[in-house]
Amino acid sequence: MKLKVWHLFLLSILGGTILGVSFPFTGGLFPLAFIGFVPFLIISYSLNQEKIKGRIWIRFLCNYLGFILFNAITSWWIYYASPSGTYMAILANSMLMTLPLGLTGFLTRQLGENKGLLSFLVLWLSFEHIHYYWDLSWPWLNIGHVLGTQPKLIQWYEYSGVAGGTFWILLVNIIVYMLLRNRFLKNETWKIQTPNFIFLGLALFFPVISSLFIYFRYEEKVDPVDIVIVQPNVEAHTEKFVIPVSQQLDKMYKVTEEHVTENTDLVVCPETAIPWGKNEAELETNTSILSVKNFIQTHYEVPWIIGADTYEVFKEKRSAASQPYGPYWAENYNTALLIQADLPIISYHKAKLVLGGEKLPFVESLPFLAEYSVELGGTSGLLGVGEEPKVLEAKGVGYAPLICYESVYGDYVTYFVRKGAEIICVITNDGWWRDTPGYKQHRMFSQIRAIENRRSVARSANTGISCFIDQRGEIISELGWNEYGALHETINRNKEFTVFTKYGSILGRIACYLAIAMLLYGLVTRLKKIGFIAEKFVRK
């Protein structure tokens, strides 16, 4: 069966649409992810079989079209924070997603179909791994996240992290593709596909059975911590940075005092709950902070973790985020504060910043880009970067103070846990995206982090979803969109480390090494084919 170019573009549209509607809360049809890459693999196979003029460009355009659809379906909600940021995110991330498939096409031509399929698996896993660490980092759409709303199916993320889910989905896609290729493009009979059907069955059901086995056998150790989380429900666009701080704090006090008791260990309030930059050198005398301390002292001396806009002043410019401040320089931070009755305030600065909203790529090398920072979530404008993960300890319990977008970064969260975090606290302001899939997807990442590290999660959102999550990734209780209130639960802390906590994404790192090896192998093979090596290095 020979496919024409217009068939390939139809396959691209089909693949992008399938992936888009399989992602949580933009369709949520997660089983479709197991066939979402099949159209792209068929496109690659068809282009490799024929010497079509402009094959490289056809491959790129087909892949780019499909990934634009995937990104648009899953990320359109960014528009409510920044229309220009939406276009940047969709077009740039789609472009990056074409790289693994483009290189797969090259390696398939050099090394053969079977090694080409292996290279697809390796290249995509390495792409997702690298996407956590560089300046254009946007791991929101990593394929393993498709399964995030199905905690019963991904309990083995405590060993593999999200990369394990990506591996599973890609592996099944490859097997399904081989079945369809053999039957319809190579005209083989279904009968001789029996081994592939058996392999497909094992690939589908073994991870499910093993996850269910872990899920129903896992029991939390009883080590209770009593926590209150607050959702003040202040509109992010029109109220958050307009209403006086005192009024916003009063809203939080009102619902907190309904739930806090002498047995409460912690109160958690959302990101930027104290807006308008506060000088960190003067926090102890700041009126907003003193107000919180006064509430703490009159309500059982329960410690608070609360988000704030803060800044520090320096004698010299430290980074591209530094701004003139009289004769000095200042850096703004998205900060989590631990406030206790009679102890010094401890601050943690957000380190994983929102691309476009809180940081710009390569701005240290190209500082003129700083003026193009846009609002994409959390606070806005170019922010200073936190130095390292910091565990906030109160009443003998260690808390990981994840701020907003940081909950997307699985490897980064493990640093907090290895440093002694026994409970994960997520503080966020998801109101930027309004009532869209964005805040729901964001909540899902907290469920995944709970499984990976076997840590209970207390999540406080300005609005969006505030919730408690147990160590199996299940929601215990939650406040939904546009709800004002507080939740009070007793959750268990945990001191044990999972394999993922200890070692991070082993799969991702292995994939990066294999990708380098396969690319070098493919390049050497190509040079041999065109006679370059024989001409330059073989003695005559």
Side-chain angles (χ1 to χ4, degrees):
M1 182 186 204
K2 184 177 179 180
L3 299 178
K4 297 181 180 180
V5 172
W6 67 271
H7 290 142
L8 304 183
F9 280 98
L10 285 179
L11 283 169
S12 171
I13 293 170
L14 177 64
T17 304
I18 289 174
L19 287 174
V21 300
S22 71
F23 206 78
F25 307 108
T26 55
L29 303 175
F30 75 92
L32 291 180
F34 291 96
I35 60 171
F37 283 95
V38 172
F40 296 102
L41 293 173
I42 293 173
I43 291 169
S44 183
Y45 175 83
S46 299
L47 289 173
N48 286 336
Q49 298 307 300
E50 302 285 339
K51 286 192 174 181
I52 301 173
K53 187 177 180 180
R55 174 170 58 186
I56 292 176
W57 286 107
I58 294 171
R59 185 190 306 276
F60 167 73
L61 290 173
C62 284
N63 291 335
Y64 194 36
L65 173 62
F67 289 128
I68 284 176
L69 279 171
F70 171 46
N71 279 262
I73 291 170
T74 52
S75 307
W76 62 268
W77 42 266
I78 299 174
Y79 184 87
Y80 287 110
S82 169
S84 60
T86 308
Y87 306 134
M88 181 180 71
I90 291 173
L91 296 177
N93 201 53
S94 301
M95 180 84 71
L96 294 171
M97 284 181 166
T98 65
L99 290 174
L101 279 166
L103 293 171
T104 295
F106 167 75
L107 291 177
T108 300
R109 293 197 306 276
Q110 308 311 317
L111 307 178
E113 176 74 3
N114 290 334
K115 290 187 179 71
L117 290 174
L118 175 61
S119 74
F120 166 64
L121 185 62
V122 167
L123 287 166
W124 193 276
L125 282 168
S126 60
F127 161 71
E128 289 196 348
H129 187 72
I130 293 169
H131 218 17
Y132 283 107
Y133 297 104
W134 70 320
D135 267 18
L136 288 175
S137 177
W138 176 244
W140 194 285
L141 299 183
N142 283 6
I143 299 303
H145 290 150
V146 167
L147 305 171
T149 57
Q150 310 298 320
K152 289 184 176 66
L153 301 183
I154 57 172
Q155 292 297 303
W156 35 265
Y157 275 23
E158 69 169 295
Y159 299 100
S160 69
V162 170
T166 299
F167 179 89
W168 182 28
I169 290 170
L170 295 183
L171 179 63
V172 173
N173 269 277
I174 289 171
I175 300 170
V176 173
Y177 156 72
M178 291 172 63
L179 285 166
L180 296 177
R181 179 202 62 188
N182 293 348
R183 178 63 187 89
F184 297 107
L185 300 180
K186 291 188 174 182
N187 295 316
E188 296 178 356
T189 64
W190 285 120
K191 187 175 181 180
I192 62 174
Q193 306 307 317
T194 301
N196 285 333
F197 277 115
I198 293 172
F199 193 21
L200 177 62
L202 291 173
L204 280 172
F205 293 110
F206 179 74
V208 173
I209 292 169
S210 61
S211 182
L212 291 174
F213 179 78
I214 297 170
Y215 180 88
F216 288 110
R217 284 178 58 87
Y218 184 82
E219 292 184 7
E220 296 184 12
K221 291 183 179 178
V222 179
D223 196 352
V225 180
D226 195 273
I227 297 178
V228 172
I229 56 176
V230 179
Q231 182 163 298
N233 198 40
V234 180
E235 212 290 323
H237 297 87
T238 60
E239 297 179 350
K240 183 65 188 169
F241 300 96
V242 176
I243 296 176
V245 180
S246 59
Q247 291 184 27
Q248 297 188 46
L249 288 173
D250 285 342
K251 288 189 71 175
M252 288 179 262
Y253 298 153
K254 181 180 178 181
V255 292
T256 301
E257 63 186 0
E258 295 173 1
H259 294 274
V260 71
T261 70
E262 60 183 6
N263 296 319
T264 303
D265 295 298
L266 184 72
V267 172
V268 185
C269 294
E271 177 188 20
T272 63
I274 302 176
W276 307 116
K278 313 299 179 188
N279 189 339
E280 293 200 10
E282 302 170 353
L283 286 180
E284 298 290 351
T285 57
N286 181 271
T287 55
S288 298
I289 304 298
L290 290 174
S291 172
V292 175
K293 278 207 167 190
N294 180 64
F295 182 89
I296 291 172
Q297 290 166 346
T298 57
H299 291 80
Y300 309 105
E301 297 192 349
V302 177
W304 280 40
I305 289 178
I306 185 169
D309 285 337
T310 67
Y311 66 91
E312 286 187 291
V313 179
F314 306 97
K315 291 183 178 180
E316 297 179 352
K317 185 173 183 177
R318 298 183 66 197
S319 70
S322 299
Q323 301 295 324
Y325 188 81
Y328 304 107
W329 295 87
E331 283 193 8
N332 296 312
Y333 299 105
N334 193 340
T335 303
L337 301 176
L338 173 61
I339 304 177
Q340 303 178 80
D342 299 312
L343 293 173
I345 294 167
I346 301 173
S347 63
Y348 162 73
H349 299 148
K350 184 179 181 182
K352 296 297 183 180
L353 303 180
V354 179
L355 183 63
E358 297 172 329
K359 73 169 185 177
L360 286 171
F362 317 116
V363 74
E364 293 292 343
S365 303
L366 305 170
F368 67 88
L369 291 174
E371 63 185 273
Y372 298 105
S373 181
V374 296
E375 293 186 0
L376 288 181
T379 56
S380 62
L382 210 57
L383 297 185
V385 181
E387 292 80 13
E388 61 179 20
K390 182 185 292 185
V391 175
L392 303 182
E393 185 172 336
K395 289 190 172 183
V397 181
Y399 300 95
L402 305 184
I403 304 174
C404 190
Y405 186 53
E406 290 182 323
S407 64
V408 183
Y409 289 81
D411 266 13
Y412 183 67
V413 176
T414 65
Y415 287 102
F416 290 93
V417 179
R418 289 199 296 272
K419 283 189 166 189
E422 300 158 289
I423 286 175
I424 294 172
C425 294
V426 179
I427 61 174
T428 185
N429 180 7
D430 292 342
W432 297 103
W433 308 316
R434 302 187 183 176
D435 190 6
T436 66
Y439 73 88
K440 300 173 187 176
Q441 292 171 359
H442 196 200
R443 188 276 312 274
M444 170 191 72
F445 297 126
S446 295
Q447 294 178 263
I448 296 174
R449 302 291 87 84
I451 295 169
E452 288 173 339
N453 299 281
R454 295 303 181 190
R455 292 297 186 268
S456 302
V457 177
R459 187 179 195 272
S460 172
N462 173 53
T463 192
I465 301 178
S466 297
C467 62
F468 287 99
I469 302 169
D470 69 18
Q471 295 169 22
R472 296 189 300 181
E474 296 284 8
I475 304 295
I476 299 171
S477 59
E478 67 179 18
L479 285 170
W481 175 262
N482 203 32
E483 290 186 41
Y484 165 56
L487 292 174
H488 179 200
E489 293 284 352
T490 299
I491 56 178
N492 290 314
R493 62 177 174 173
N494 186 17
K495 298 182 180 180
E496 302 295 324
F497 290 172
T498 66
V499 170
F500 183 76
T501 299
K502 288 181 180 178
Y503 305 111
S505 182
I506 299 171
L507 266 176
R509 294 196 295 274
I510 291 174
C512 288
Y513 292 125
L514 289 176
I516 293 170
M518 295 196 76
L519 287 171
L520 290 174
Y521 182 24
L523 180 60
V524 170
T525 302
R526 176 60 180 167
L527 293 175
K528 284 182 177 179
K529 285 182 179 180
I530 63 176
F532 178 83
I533 292 180
E535 179 182 341
K536 297 292 184 181
F537 301 104
V538 179
R539 291 183 179 180
K540 295 182 181 180

